[in-house]
Structures are given as C-alpha cells and as structure tokens.
Amino acid sequence: MSHNLPLPTQTTASPRRTNVTAALLGGKTFRSLSEQTLSPREEKFERGRQTLGFFLAPAVAIIFALLPTAMDPKQQLLAAILLGVIILWICEPVPIPVGGLIGVAATVILGVAPASDVLRPFGSTTIFTFIGAFILAQAMLKHGIAQRLAFAVLSIPGVAKSTYRIIIAFGVITCILSAFVSNTATVAMLMPTALGILAVIAQLMQDRGVVKADFDPLRLRVGAALMLMLAYGASVGGLLTPVGAPPNLIGRGLIEEATGERISFAQWTATAAPLCLAMFVVLALVMFLINKPEIRHIEGVDEFIREQKAAHGKMKRAEINTLIAFGFTVTLWLLPAFASLIFGADSEPYIFLDDRLDEGIVAVLGASLLFILPTNWKKRQATLTWSDAAKIDWGTIILFGTGIIFGSLLAATGLAETIGTSASESLGITNIVTITAFAVILAILISETTSNTASAAVVVPIVIPLCMAMDVDPFIPALAATFAASFGFMLPVSTPQNAIVYGSGTVPITRMIRTGVVFDILGAILIISIVPIMVAITGIGG
C-alpha cells in the first residue's frame, strides 16, 4: 500500500519543531534514553531492556565462569567475559563502546592475557581506516558535499519518486563499489550522502504533516532501512571478488595451501556472482518487510531539489578541496584492485601496491590533505580544522577496536578451536553437507561477536583439518565458511560497516538485531545451497 505525502495542514497549536538537519547531520551517535524522543510504550521497553542488562550481564558472566567444565581456565574466563559483553551490547545499560571497554579491562584484570597482548590489535589497519574515512566524511558534511550528492542522486529520473527506489539504488551502488573497494571504505564514503538524502526525506515528511512537528528523525524506519542497506549491501558485494573483503583473501590462501589448487580471479567471481545476486534480492525483501518505510511515494521532491540546487550555487573552494582529498583516497584504494585485474593477484605490481597502499594508511593520508589544501592561503585557512576533525565518531572507533581485540583473544586462547571441535563432535558431523552447514553457521556466529577477518582466520583452519580427518574434500566447506565469514549482521561490532551505520544514530540496536538475525538465517541457507552448485558449474579449484 502506498502513501502520498499530504499538503501541510493548519493547526491551532504549534508544538516544538524538530531541527531535522541538526538531528541527522549533527554528529550525535550513541544516545542515552533522555536524549531520545520516544513514545511511552517505547520508553518503557527501552528502560526495561537497560535495567535487565545491568543485572543480567554480570550474573551470566559470573555463573558461566564458575561452572565446572573441562575447558581451559583462560578459555572459560574469556567465554564468560564475552557472554557478559554481548548482553551489554544487546541491552545497552551503558553505551555500547563502554560495554566493549569493560570487557577488555576484564580480560586483563582476570588474567586472560597481559595488557600488552590484549591492546595490540587496537593498532590494526582497520582502526586507521575508520579514522581517515570518518575525517573525510566530516569534511563532506561540513562543506555540504553530502547534501549536494544527495540532490544529484535524487535527480535521477524516477528515483526520487519512491523511498523504495532510493534505498535499492544505494544498495546497488554499494554492492558494486564494495566488490573492489574495502567494505568499510565504501560505507564510510556513501554514508554522508545517505544521511543527506534522509534529511531531505525527513524534512519533507515534517513539512507535509506526515509526522509530528517534534518527531525524532533518528527513529524513522526509512532511515534504518537506508542505513542497513548500506551496511549489508557492502557485505554482499564484498563477496564478488577475491579482493572485495579481507576474509576472501584469507580463505582463498588457506584453501589453495590445503588443496594445492589455484583459484583464479575469474573463477572466484563467476562462483560468487549468482550468490551475490540472490542475496541482494533477499536483502531487499527482508529490508522492506522488517523496516517498511513510513512512506512509499514522495510527491513534490523535484521542485524542492531545484530550489536547493539553486541555493547551493557553484562549488566552493572547500568543496573542491574535499573532493580532491576524497578522489585521491579512492584512487589509491582502487590501485591494487586494478593491478590485480590487469596483471593478476600473484603479479609483482599487485603485490607491491597491496603491500605499500595499506587501506588504513591511505585513509589517514587522504584525510591529511584536508589540513593541507587551503581555502584561504593568506589567512593560512585549511579545508578542515582539528576542531572539526575531533568531532568524528570516536565511540564507533572504540567499539570496533574492542571487537578486534576479542577476535584476537578467541584465536590466541584457543577458544575458537575448542568451540569448533566440541560442536562438531556433539553434533555428529559425518558428511560434506553437515560439515558445510556447520562451517557456515560457526563462521556467522563467530563473526557476530568479532571481526569478519577474525572469523575467516579462525573457522577455515578448523574446517579444513576436520574435512581431511573424515576423508572429505575440504574445498566446498572451506569456501562456504569463507563466504559466511563476511556475514554477521546482528550487532554493530560484527563488521566495520555495521559499526559505521550504527554510529549514525539512525539504527536502534533492536532493529539491527531483528533485521540481522533474519538475514543471517536466509543468507546461511543461500550459501549452503548455492556454493556446491556453483563449484560444480565453474570448476573452481579444479
């Protein structure tokens, strides 16, 4: 059923009017209960969820730590801490980044590992990718490029007439870009544009009386659908090529080493393409069923867009400088992928560029240009000031840093291997179908609470020896586990792109969990059913 935006209506009273632009583009991320505009029912639910978390998280952690098990003591302690942290993340009695920090502190205090080992992963390249990409995004927001790009997308014939088309258009763009550019970088690049479009939609809804004057634009279903499409679309598109996501490279290397069969770029892409297409269709259906936009058809946007374009006028020096820094960063991000396409993934040019052009280093280098390129040379005024840069979402950076730490600890303590072997024994896994299903489910579960890179690094080495011990060809289960490692859609810490869109403040944790668990289940079914068929058709690895 479609809903057209009605004309503004006259009211006798004038309630407080929400500043949509400030709410969506003001940089607020993790908000306390008092900072949100909720209905009485929503407020009651949120208060109960947070209160439950205060007591449930420590209780579960303590009880599990004291249970008499055959596990290694350090593994049991880590599992107990991780259970407690997951409850903190789901219930949010404290801001999600703080919940992760509490867990990290607990691992050191309880002797799971020394502080130097625990904190070392926080210096990973992903963290620097976050910092650089967020600074670039901050410049795009400050100088209005996000809004300008938003109006350009809305100007495509037919797109601006439907919120559904807008969301699907962003999903397609994200999928294509993330096949060659880092998933994290892709979402970080597109998010300011998506926020700009959301601000336009929310403003139109407010102006035409679809929502109350004092509504909270950060709780719109259309906003959650748009942001989740960015995050999940990047994960889907990242499967398409071997260089699309780090788990692909890790899984391919481990499979090639174990089987002695080389997987070419073309074979990988041909195998993954039908899976990506099927997953995108399912993603769109899931997104619109669970996060159905408040409106479908939008009337009167064309005139609004023309007015706004005229108001923006010609591009200013700050906007041009921001685009230069942005283009520089994207070009360096793409160079290794182009080298791989032209010369091959085993060629010297690709290896040289891939080693030197680390995505984190490129991100901070590109961001640094914003402090060098001047807008007024006489006044020594640069495109961005440090005060502007300091406003980036440090909470999301801390959040994902803690996820990387837990992923490293899972591997270092052997807890991941213990989970895998014990689960396979207790479930009675004996053939290639059950091994493949087990590999996919385990990879998704681990990627929910750690990084997708850690999931691939942990699960694939478990699956390959398990297959060999049962005299089963490890190729299909290991490849399926590699694809599944890029999943994990339930929590902000599951993937960097989840963390980025959650950091926008437009995706409540409960909505992300609800959407993510459905897509996890359907995605697992698609991987288990499609991968064996495509391996047989393409002859990959053979």
Side-chain angles (χ1 to χ4, degrees), residues 67-80:
L67 284 176
T69 68
M71 293 176 67
D72 176 85
K74 287 188 177 181
Q75 291 182 14
Q76 185 168 349
L77 269 178
L78 178 60

Side-chain angles (χ1 to χ4, degrees), residues 53-257:
F54 269 118
F55 300 99
L56 188 62
V60 168
I62 292 170
I63 291 170
F64 189 86
L66 296 177
L67 284 176
T69 68
M71 293 176 67
D72 176 85
K74 287 188 177 181
Q75 291 182 14
Q76 185 168 349
L77 269 178
L78 178 60
I81 293 167
L82 196 51
L83 284 172
V85 169
I86 291 170
I87 293 171
L88 290 178
W89 283 338
I90 293 173
C91 295
E92 288 188 284
V94 295
I96 284 187
V98 176
L101 290 176
I102 290 172
V104 169
T107 60
V108 177
I109 293 172
L110 296 177
V112 174
S116 57
D117 293 343
V118 170
L119 298 176
R120 187 177 297 118
F122 208 87
S124 73
T125 183
T126 306
I127 299 299
F128 286 92
T129 303
F130 266 123
I131 293 172
F134 279 7
I135 291 175
L136 285 166
Q138 183 69 18
M140 292 179 73
L141 287 172
K142 177 184 177 181
H143 299 300
I145 291 179
Q147 291 281 23
R148 191 183 288 275
L149 289 175
F151 298 136
V153 174
L154 286 172
S155 297
I156 298 174
V159 170
K161 297 292 186 182
S162 167
T163 53
Y164 287 63
R165 291 175 195 165
I166 290 171
I167 292 168
I168 290 175
F170 265 96
V172 170
I173 294 168
T174 305
C175 279
I176 293 171
L177 283 175
S178 61
F180 301 97
V181 182
S182 155
N183 295 349
T184 309
T186 299
V187 175
M189 288 187 294
L190 291 177
M191 191 179 74
T193 307
L195 282 173
I197 286 181
L198 180 56
V200 172
I201 293 172
Q203 188 71 61
L204 286 168
M205 290 172 65
Q206 185 185 54
D207 291 344
R208 286 157 175 78
V210 174
V211 292
K212 295 179 179 178
D214 61 345
F215 81 115
D216 186 351
L218 292 171
R219 296 188 67 85
L220 291 175
R221 291 193 304 275
V222 64
L226 182 58
M227 288 299 159
L228 288 175
M229 178 61 86
L230 283 183
Y232 298 172
S235 293
V236 171
L239 300 179
L240 186 61
T241 67
V243 297
N248 298 358
L249 294 172
I250 292 172
R252 186 176 71 160
L254 291 169
I255 293 168
E256 288 180 341
E257 183 180 346

Side-chain angles (χ1 to χ4, degrees), residues 386-436:
W386 183 249
S387 296
D388 297 323
K391 296 175 184 176
I392 67 172
D393 185 14
W394 293 105
T396 298
I397 293 169
I398 292 171
L399 167 65
F400 200 73
T402 59
I404 294 174
I405 287 172
F406 282 119
S408 176
L409 288 171
L410 272 168
T413 60
L415 177 57
E417 187 174 353
T418 298
I419 293 170
T421 53
S422 61
S424 65
E425 291 171 1
S426 61
L427 293 174
I429 296 170
T430 56
N431 57 62
I432 192 168
V433 175
T434 54
I435 291 175
T436 302

Side-chain angles (χ1 to χ4, degrees), residues 445-529:
L445 289 176
I446 291 180
S447 69
E448 286 292 359
T449 52
T450 65
S451 72
N452 47 15
T453 303
S455 178
V458 166
V459 177
V460 177
I462 292 173
V463 171
I464 290 174
L466 186 62
C467 290
M468 291 180 170
M470 297 180 181
D471 198 25
V472 171
D473 185 352
F475 195 90
I476 291 175
L479 185 62
T482 301
F483 285 142
S486 287
F487 275 45
F489 299 109
M490 284 175 56
L491 296 171
V493 77
S494 302
T495 64
Q497 52 270 27
N498 283 19
I500 290 173
V501 300
Y502 183 79
S504 71
T506 59
V507 185
I509 185 69
T510 49
R511 193 166 289 279
M512 179 177 280
I513 292 172
R514 193 183 311 128
T515 309
V517 70
V518 174
F519 194 43
D520 272 346
I521 294 169
L522 295 178
I525 294 171
L526 288 175
I527 292 174
I528 294 167
S529 57

Side-chain angles (χ1 to χ4, degrees), residues 344-391:
D346 298 324
S347 64
E348 289 187 10
Y350 169 73
I351 293 171
F352 176 83
L353 291 173
D354 193 51
D355 287 343
R356 303 298 177 90
L357 298 181
D358 175 87
E359 69 176 32
I361 298 302
V362 168
V364 295
L365 184 62
S368 298
L369 286 178
L370 297 168
F371 304 93
I372 298 172
L373 297 173
T375 55
N376 189 322
W377 176 249
K378 289 184 178 179
K379 296 182 179 179
R380 300 298 187 269
Q381 186 174 354
T383 308
L384 204 66
T385 66
W386 183 249
S387 296
D388 297 323
K391 296 175 184 176

